[in-house]
Amino acid sequence: MSSTIHSVSASPVISSSPGPALFRACYAPAAARDAALADPRTLAVFGFSHGQPPCADPRWLQVPLAEHGPAQIEIWQGAGKVEHGVRDGVRWSATDAVLFGAIEMDEIDGDIESAAADSYALMSGFLTHCGFPHLLRTWNYLDAVTEGEGDQERYRRFCVGRVRGLRELDEAALPAATCIGRFDGVRRLQVYWLAAREPGLPLENPRQVSAFRYPRQYGPQSPSFSRALLPPPATGLPLLQSGTAAIVGHVSQHTGSLTEQLDETLTNLQSLVDAARLQRPALPATLGAESVLKVYVRRADDLAAIAARMAELPGAPPFIVLHAEVCRAELLVEIEGLHG
């Protein structure tokens, strides 16, 4: 049954009979954008490097991070026709089982905490009324994420604002998440997400302290996300792996060593796959062709080396390498994944 939109209290309600929905994520040349958006099954398309012409389609989002190699886009597709629109500052699209939403909010006088609080309050209100109340995965992009000293660091203020906007914090239902810094100097917070009709299963990495249990030294509000999340089977979504770096316990590892940090990060991603397979044994056992990886690299001079190492991985997982700022100054690389 195709989705329909009704207006209730000025918020969208997307109503349809829930049912199985397949999901596909892939990378493609940037020139494929318009063709992807013309496909009625397309849930979202993301661009990275500058150069794409403007596009009003709510399923298109430009995340300005310079990439290594030819310009690519990321495409998400469902199995059937996708409904989409804009309501109350939220760009959205939906299959019968999965909702994509996106918010872009300018900071006022560089106040990232308020921008985060307002964005997550808007998201929370939208989810309450849209028929997809369960948040599965979020992505957050902001300029200069590690700027500022101590508790005034922009990432720490973002974490405070995020919880203010969520209003309620259920540690048993936290979504997987990414928070990454841009280098573009534009004080605009970009937030997008996936949500479903039913809750997913948050997962933690046995090699790491849960982010929401970090000690006070990392800020007044611990980061509020799970290390990964297994979506409800009806969504057809893969394992959703959070942005993952070279952290063991809660401590950053291998300061100054790009190669060792990359290896530790990949070990952590594999640990999440192992944890997920305890709950869903049918998942592929290792990262490979059924994974889609996004690699964030702090130093521009390291992009080529990281891309070369990623290309050598067993199983040849599809990947893209982006110049971006990881949320701890000593961390040089971070990877997120869709697996399965």
Side-chain angles (χ1 to χ4, degrees), residues 226-246:
S226 62
R227 297 292 185 186
L229 185 136
L230 273 173
T235 64
L237 289 168
L239 172 67
L240 304 171
Q241 294 173 302
S242 295
T244 300

Side-chain angles (χ1 to χ4, degrees), residues 215-232:
R216 176 62 178 82
Q217 71 193 74
Y218 296 103
Q221 173 62 58
S222 58
S224 303
F225 66 91
S226 62
R227 297 292 185 186
L229 185 136
L230 273 173

Side-chain angles (χ1 to χ4, degrees), residues 101-104 119-120 123 138-141 189-193:
I103 295 168
E104 296 186 276
S119 296
Y120 272 82
M123 175 202 293
T138 66
W139 288 260
N140 308 272
Y141 297 94
L189 174 63
Q190 297 176 295
V191 180
Y192 64 92
W193 67 88

Side-chain angles (χ1 to χ4, degrees), residues 51-91:
Q52 288 278 9
C55 178
D57 193 307
R59 298 169 297 164
W60 165 252
L61 186 63
Q62 180 82 35
V63 181
L65 300 172
E67 60 192 296
H68 176 76
Q72 298 187 74
I73 55 173
E74 182 178 2
I75 303 170
W76 294 352
Q77 289 188 324
K81 184 178 179 181
V82 168
E83 300 288 336
H84 57 84
V86 180
R87 187 65 59 88
D88 298 334
V90 177
R91 297 150 60 184

Side-chain angles (χ1 to χ4, degrees), residues 186-266:
V186 177
R187 295 301 164 99
R188 177 181 300 127
L189 174 63
Q190 297 176 295
V191 180
Y192 64 92
W193 67 88
L194 287 168
R197 299 183 185 278
E198 302 296 330
L201 176 65
L203 298 173
E204 294 303 312
N205 185 348
R207 303 182 80 242
Q208 297 178 307
V209 172
S210 299
F212 53 84
R213 300 201 185 282
Y214 274 1
R216 176 62 178 82
Q217 71 193 74
Y218 296 103
Q221 173 62 58
S222 58
S224 303
F225 66 91
S226 62
R227 297 292 185 186
L229 185 136
L230 273 173
T235 64
L237 289 168
L239 172 67
L240 304 171
Q241 294 173 302
S242 295
T244 300
I247 296 171
V248 177
H250 58 78
V251 179
S252 300
Q253 306 293 310
H254 315 301
T255 297
S257 175
L258 181 68
T259 299
E260 289 182 298
Q261 284 198 21
L262 177 60
D263 289 345
E264 196 77 71
T265 299
L266 292 168

Side-chain angles (χ1 to χ4, degrees), residues 43-327:
L43 189 70
V45 181
F46 307 92
F48 305 101
S49 295
H50 293 285
Q52 288 278 9
C55 178
D57 193 307
R59 298 169 297 164
W60 165 252
L61 186 63
Q62 180 82 35
V63 181
L65 300 172
E67 60 192 296
H68 176 76
Q72 298 187 74
I73 55 173
E74 182 178 2
I75 303 170
W76 294 352
Q77 289 188 324
K81 184 178 179 181
V82 168
E83 300 288 336
H84 57 84
V86 180
R87 187 65 59 88
D88 298 334
V90 177
R91 297 150 60 184
W92 64 269
S93 61
T95 67
D96 283 350
V98 178
L99 173 89
F100 161 76
I103 295 168
E104 296 186 276
M105 186 166 295
D106 290 334
E107 301 175 30
I108 298 175
D109 297 326
D111 185 353
I112 184 59
E113 180 180 333
S114 293
D118 292 346
S119 296
Y120 272 82
L122 182 59
M123 175 202 293
S124 297
F126 185 91
L127 292 174
T128 298
H129 299 290
C130 73
F132 295 83
H134 298 284
L135 194 59
L136 305 180
R137 178 70 162 92
T138 66
W139 288 260
N140 308 272
Y141 297 94
L142 58 144
D143 182 50
V145 69
T146 59
E147 181 179 282
E149 297 297 323
D151 286 348
Q152 296 309 306
E153 181 190 63
R154 283 171 54 78
Y155 178 61
R156 297 187 183 196
R157 301 325 305 171
F158 165 82
C159 289
V160 172
R162 173 169 51 185
V163 171
R164 276 177 48 198
L166 287 171
R167 299 189 182 95
E168 297 181 4
L169 187 64
D170 181 359
E171 292 181 351
L174 289 174
T178 292
C179 184
I180 282 292
R182 304 187 311 265
F183 292 112
D184 62 350
V186 177
R187 295 301 164 99
R188 177 181 300 127
L189 174 63
Q190 297 176 295
V191 180
Y192 64 92
W193 67 88
L194 287 168
R197 299 183 185 278
E198 302 296 330
L201 176 65
L203 298 173
E204 294 303 312
N205 185 348
R207 303 182 80 242
Q208 297 178 307
V209 172
S210 299
F212 53 84
R213 300 201 185 282
Y214 274 1
R216 176 62 178 82
Q217 71 193 74
Y218 296 103
Q221 173 62 58
S222 58
S224 303
F225 66 91
S226 62
R227 297 292 185 186
L229 185 136
L230 273 173
T235 64
L237 289 168
L239 172 67
L240 304 171
Q241 294 173 302
S242 295
T244 300
I247 296 171
V248 177
H250 58 78
V251 179
S252 300
Q253 306 293 310
H254 315 301
T255 297
S257 175
L258 181 68
T259 299
E260 289 182 298
Q261 284 198 21
L262 177 60
D263 289 345
E264 196 77 71
T265 299
L266 292 168
T267 297
N268 278 329
L269 286 170
Q270 182 60 49
S271 180
L272 289 169
V273 171
D274 295 342
R277 293 185 74 247
L278 295 176
Q279 305 295 328
R280 200 166 293 175
L283 280 171
T286 59
L287 300 172
E290 294 180 278
S291 308
V292 177
L293 304 179
K294 190 178 287 104
V295 187
Y296 303 102
V297 181
R298 174 178 294 277
R299 301 183 307 213
D301 289 347
D302 292 334
L303 292 172
I306 288 290
R309 287 290 305 279
M310 294 295 297
E312 295 171 352
L313 292 180
F319 67 89
I320 189 170
V321 177
L322 302 171
H323 183 213
E325 189 175 16
V326 184
C327 64

